[in-house]
Amino acid sequence: MIKDEIVSILKSVLGNGKEFIPLHEPVFNGNEWNYVKECLDTTFVSSVGKFVDRFEKDLAEFTGAKHAVAVVNGTAALQIALKLAGVEENDEVFIPSLTFIATANSVSYLKAHPHFIENEEKTLGVSPTSLREYLNSIAEVRSGQCFNKKTGNRISAIVPMHTFGHPVAMDELLAVANDFHFKVVEDAAESLGSYYFGKHTGTLGLLGTLSFNGNKTITTGGGGAILTNNKELAILAKHITTTAKIPHPWEYTHDVIGYNYRLPNLNAALGCAQLEKLPELLESKRKLFHLYENAFSTMAEVKIQKEPNGCKSNYWLQTLVLKPSLVGERDNILSATNSAGIMTRPAWTLLHKLKPYSHCSKMNLPVSESLEMRLINIPSSSNLIHA
Amino acid sequence: MIKDEIVSILKSVLGNGKEFIPLHEPVFNGNEWNYVKECLDTTFVSSVGKFVDRFEKDLAEFTGAKHAVAVVNGTAALQIALKLAGVEENDEVFIPSLTFIATANSVSYLKAHPHFIENEEKTLGVSPTSLREYLNSIAEVRSGQCFNKKTGNRISAIVPMHTFGHPVAMDELLAVANDFHFKVVEDAAESLGSYYFGKHTGTLGLLGTLSFNGNKTITTGGGGAILTNNKELAILAKHITTTAKIPHPWEYTHDVIGYNYRLPNLNAALGCAQLEKLPELLESKRKLFHLYENAFSTMAEVKIQKEPNGCKSNYWLQTLVLKPSLVGERDNILSATNSAGIMTRPAWTLLHKLKPYSHCSKMNLPVSESLEMRLINIPSSSNLIHA
Ligand SMILES: Cc1ncc(COP(=O)(O)O)c(C=O)c1O
Ligand SMILES: Cc1ncc(COP(=O)(O)O)c(C=O)c1O
């Protein structure tokens, strides 16, 4: 049986002895204790402190973004990035149908509407080819702005999401966005350490966002960041994520409606330590990929998702891709692996199938529909290969 | 000169030797490091973990609220509490003119409109008497709902804020809200440990909110909580602050548009330790009040704000109240004290004077206007009296 074969291959890679292997757990073996203790000792645990400033500098340096602004989480980062990209009430924003719900929610917080587009097998991300074709039929560019001819709404942005750490075909996507006049905000929540032709994901669009949730490659407990090469947008991002207060020794004046989205120093301290270890973590995850790739090479029915050509993936979540003929096996495989103490999960339910988003505009989504039933994430923690 | 007299009285209480005395700093002398270290050791730093569950239980126990839901900060807590109270787009929500901008921002996030009301000297909070009089002239109750006759908007809620820890006159306010059919959501961000006739602030309205920002009585770095005695609302609060995910071992289904507002376990660990020390902190703050009260008893021109009758204030921020004749002295006093290394600050700029809120409806606000120019917060940390 396919499912038993998969369990046994996973066990061969992960070792037989363990009772439970989580999908992804953080590893704290660097300066985490030291930095967090320093926060407590100095009492700088909140919105001001040296670690939150340093974390932003370190993130900019690591990703090559000119600016990084640290915030409470990846969802908040997306909300603010979309706002800064000019997304307004009643606009439409293209997002993949196959993504975590936060991508859609951040659009909704601005009272704009997600418009779901097709994914592709090669990258697991949005398909620039299908999108261009779709736009040729539904979109119209007027005075430098893109409109949906059917709904009459403006289409102001697209959010490519680098699924499980695999970069989207950005050159082709940027060309479509350029031709049709909407902004690109990259959801790089899952792709810290992933590169598209040498450029870090999240630095190719106007703005990009990261997440440091507990299940991500590095964690700050909860946390996120906004990346941009645009200085003005970076200044605005910092301003509106810190309640838009005008600096003054004692007066409280705020010039716009801001947010309390600053990452606390305590969480940033963890982030600084984690970031020091990131190159090592990425190496481990890449080695794990090769172990899985090798182990599954004997099975014709499944493959392990590999980084796209010209890209370097962080291999955040290792992903089994079932052959189309195995669609019906997905849930059996999920049951068998989880019962065996090996945590696995499917990709997200496609967002247009969820009640809060079922009314939204969408393309035909045959590839997304197929991927939904064929993707299975398998244990991916960076500490697995030392086992 | 008044300002020199004030500096010298402050020095007499706070000691002469120190170079800089902050307005409020946290004190970590309990289990903070043990609990935070336990988070790191177990790797449970994110949205799941024993401390975040315990923090909610401990908060409920301390405040006497039936339920507490821990969230990323006090602003998020208010936004969700207002949403759960039924505040909808284009509604009006009464809030004091004298409060931190977060109170108004949380209303704006729901696309509702703040409607500014008058404060009173006795409590520094909203005045039920002025409000009732105002409502008699501008409001109309139709089919059990309150409407603003001028704007036509529904008035769905009021947010009394317990200024610097001093409880609002809640009985009178609850009576007004009851008579005019709108909901009460208490902004108890500043009043953890404050009681109104034996009941903890934040537990008298339909919902209440707390903040654990770095400048508050206890801190989690960043953090907040929603309090309520209503089980259904508590369940909903937890659900929509955790992305509205339906529990399932592996499937990702979300039934409404939720938020990623869960307090990380790392921050909750700090909160659990801080809460253990809260009774001690409150005692120190009360002692500091008595020292200030005594020291300023020689000055006819200023008094120290004292807890209202029948109330127990947490004395979060100690507050000098200048006599009306000294209005023009406020900035001189602020300059002199800050130059002397004693951090002080005025109350917030009244919100209706800020650009983003200058267009909002408001009552006549003579008391708020006067208080704005006469309140000065002075150093209030709980570790000051051990000096
Ligand atoms: C694709 C995607 N977008 C956005 C987010 C939101 O990040 P966060 O959980 O930090 O809010 C996540 C991660 O949870 C994600 O996987
Ligand atoms: C009156 C009031 N409301 C709301 C808040 C918001 O809390 P937070 O800073 O945790 O978002 C604060 C504190 O900053 C406050 O003082």
Side-chain angles (χ1 to χ4, degrees), chain B residues 124-258:
Chain B
L124 306 181
V126 293
S127 161
T129 320
S130 318
L131 179 61
R132 184 181 288 278
E133 208 172 290
Y134 181 60
L135 281 164
N136 281 330
S137 93
I138 69 127
E140 165 176 75
V141 174
R142 287 200 310 267
S143 32
Q145 299 195 308
C146 186
F147 292 87
N148 180 333
K149 284 191 285 188
K150 286 190 204 159
T151 61
N153 295 330
R154 184 170 73 137
I155 300 171
S156 49
I158 185 168
V159 186
M161 193 281 280
H162 306 291
T163 312
F164 308 139
H166 299 293
V168 164
M170 287 302 293
D171 278 346
E172 293 82 349
L173 193 79
L174 289 165
V176 176
N178 191 53
D179 292 346
F180 284 89
H181 295 266
F182 45 78
K183 301 288 194 294
V184 177
V185 174
E186 293 172 77
D187 183 349
E190 308 186 347
S191 62
L192 177 65
S194 298
Y195 296 83
Y196 178 81
F197 288 87
K199 288 188 183 152
H200 195 283
T201 51
T203 68
L204 293 111
L206 180 63
L207 297 133
T209 62
L210 301 171
S211 163
F212 312 112
N213 188 23
N215 66 350
K216 295 298 187 293
T217 301
I218 70 166
T219 188
T220 59
I226 299 166
L227 304 178
T228 185
N229 293 320
N230 182 312
K231 188 173 173 182
E232 207 177 316
L233 291 180
I235 291 170
L236 262 174
K238 176 79 171 280
H239 185 60
I240 70 169
T241 55
T242 53
T243 77
K245 185 172 178 298
I246 308 287
H248 187 282
W250 60 67
E251 252 173 41
Y252 276 74
T253 320
H254 311 253
D255 59 348
V256 291
I257 294 175

Side-chain angles (χ1 to χ4, degrees), chain A residues 45-349:
Chain A
V45 296
S46 195
S47 46
V48 175
K50 77 174 206 196
F51 287 111
V52 59
D53 294 329
R54 177 181 150 188
F55 190 48
E56 290 179 337
K57 262 186 55 202
D58 291 354
L59 280 172
E61 196 172 312
F62 183 87
T63 59
K66 288 224 178 82
H67 310 277
V69 177
V71 296
V72 284
N73 55 51
T75 309
L78 263 181
Q79 177 188 354
I80 300 303
L82 286 168
K83 196 182 170 83
L84 293 177
V87 173
E88 291 178 357
E89 194 163 341
N90 284 324
D91 283 357
E92 293 179 17
V93 175
F94 287 130
I95 70 170
S97 48
L98 184 79
T99 182
F100 180 55
I101 196 165
T103 318
N105 286 346
S106 59
V107 173
S108 301
Y109 301 154
L110 303 175
K111 301 263 169 191
H113 309 291
H115 186 145
F116 297 111
I117 61 174
E118 176 73 315
N119 291 75
E120 61 181 354
E121 292 245 6
K122 201 170 48 177
T123 67
L124 306 183
V126 293
S127 161
T129 319
S130 317
L131 179 61
R132 185 181 287 279
E133 208 171 290
Y134 181 58
L135 281 164
N136 281 332
S137 93
I138 68 128
E140 163 176 76
V141 175
R142 288 199 312 265
S143 33
Q145 299 195 309
C146 186
F147 292 87
N148 180 333
K149 284 191 285 188
K150 285 190 205 159
T151 61
N153 295 330
R154 184 169 74 135
I155 300 170
S156 50
I158 185 169
V159 185
M161 194 280 279
H162 306 290
T163 311
F164 308 139
H166 299 293
V168 164
M170 286 302 293
D171 278 347
E172 293 81 349
L173 193 79
L174 288 165
V176 176
N178 191 53
D179 291 346
F180 285 89
H181 294 266
F182 46 78
K183 301 289 194 293
V184 177
V185 174
E186 293 172 77
D187 183 349
E190 307 185 347
S191 62
L192 178 65
S194 298
Y195 296 83
Y196 178 80
F197 288 87
K199 288 186 182 153
H200 195 282
T201 51
T203 68
L204 293 111
L206 180 63
L207 298 132
T209 62
L210 301 172
S211 163
F212 313 112
N213 187 24
N215 66 350
K216 296 297 188 292
T217 302
I218 70 167
T219 188
T220 59
I226 299 167
L227 305 177
T228 186
N229 292 320
N230 182 312
K231 188 172 172 182
E232 208 177 314
L233 291 180
I235 290 171
L236 263 175
K238 176 78 172 279
H239 185 60
I240 68 169
T241 55
T242 55
T243 77
K245 186 173 179 297
I246 308 286
H248 186 282
W250 60 66
E251 252 173 43
Y252 276 73
T253 321
H254 311 254
D255 60 349
V256 291
I257 294 174
Y259 299 83
N260 181 11
Y261 278 170
R262 183 94 177 133
L263 185 71
N265 201 49
L266 178 72
N267 303 81
L270 199 56
C272 288
Q274 287 268 283
L275 208 46
E276 290 173 355
K277 285 284 178 170
L278 181 54
E280 233 172 78
L281 297 179
L282 291 171
E283 228 175 278
S284 300
K285 292 171 83 67
R286 178 167 293 272
K287 275 191 200 153
L288 181 60
F289 163 72
H290 287 300
L291 291 181
Y292 277 137
E293 189 186 36
N294 191 45
F296 279 98
S297 65
T298 57
M299 267 190 92
E301 299 91 338
V302 306
K303 69 176 176 78
I304 296 280
Q305 184 70 21
K306 194 178 169 150
E307 61 198 359
N309 286 337
C311 295
K312 218 174 141 181
S313 297
N314 67 358
Y315 289 107
W316 168 51
L317 285 190
Q318 310 281 352
T319 310
L320 283 183
V321 187
L322 307 182
K323 281 252 159 99
S325 57
L326 288 192
V327 157
E329 283 296 311
R330 190 195 77 168
D331 287 1
N332 295 331
I333 297 166
L334 288 166
S335 288
T337 46
N338 281 293
S339 302
I342 298 168
M343 191 171 160
T344 60
R345 59 161 228 210
W348 313 274
T349 304

